[in-house]
Amino acid sequence: MVRQQYTTTTDGSSLERPERQYVYNIGIYGWRKRCLYLFVLLLLIVLVVNFALTIWILKVMWFSPSGMGHLRVTSEGLRLEGESEFLYPLYAKEIRSRVDNSLHLHSSQNVTVNARNSEGQITGRLTVGPGLVETHGQQFQINSDKGKMLFSVDEKEVLVGTDKLVVTGPGGALFEHSVETPLVRADSSKQLRLESPTRSLSMDAPKGVYIKAQTGEIEAISRRDIKLQSSDGSVVLDAEKIFLPKLPQGTKTNSADSSQELYEICVCPDGKLYLSVAATKSTCREYSRDCQ
């Protein structure tokens, strides 16, 4: 907008009439001014909406100076109250529950706990699945509340530190290799049975093997031979009665039958036992035909 200025003079003055000057006023007028006001109004509306949304989010998420919702920030770390759901892996130095509550871990698939070294490699893993509990590590150990080792497993051996190991299954305990123990004993109301269905059964001890049945009997059954052997000592059968019901009867040289029911036990040079008819003198030589 151009504005013209005029200078008037009075009669008798000697002022010269200046030349025509043009003055330009700088500003925003018209539709530009209305657009500016509209833009400022929109910014104010957005600012108010953002402020209202911030207040709503703080209220919904339970933000407070001590934490957010059930999450509290303490001097010892983070504290969660109630049930919490983690959609991604959780990394923590220690996880524990309150003193008066227990700690529960739930998952629709499995729960996996990993231990890593300073290089990030997994050194131990515990996986609890729908039908399997699996652990990986150099050693697995269970201790009592007093620090005593109860059960320990590694690549070389399995250690049971309790005073007594009780197997209550109806099938007993199956060992594919040797077992070292100072005592094998059954319950007072049940029988003790040591069996090897397809292989041999061996019991070794540097100072001796002691087998005792306080109120019952000891029975040894074998499809083939049962050997009692002592390299330095002797085999002692100490009992009031010794029965050999299936001991064979020796055959007399002249094969004469006898109805006598009194016999004597004879021994062949190879150690075989047989019966011979008893008489005033020994008849073992007469009935030694089976030794030949």
Side-chain angles (χ1 to χ4, degrees), residues 173-189:
L174 177 62
F175 301 96
E176 296 183 358
H177 301 285
S178 61
V179 178
E180 182 178 352
T181 177
L183 177 63
V184 178
R185 182 176 62 186
D187 195 6
S188 58
S189 61

Side-chain angles (χ1 to χ4, degrees), residues 188-238:
S188 58
S189 61
K190 297 182 180 179
Q191 298 180 356
L192 175 62
R193 183 175 181 180
L194 301 177
E195 181 182 7
S196 178
T198 59
R199 296 293 185 268
S200 60
L201 177 62
S202 176
M203 292 185 293
D204 300 329
K207 294 185 178 180
V209 178
Y210 181 71
I211 302 175
K212 181 181 180 180
Q214 296 180 355
T215 59
E217 61 182 8
I218 297 176
E219 183 178 359
I221 301 175
S222 175
R223 185 176 180 180
R224 295 185 179 179
D225 300 336
I226 296 178
K227 297 181 180 180
L228 301 176
Q229 182 179 359
S230 177
S231 58
D232 297 334
S234 59
V235 177
V236 180
L237 300 177
D238 186 4

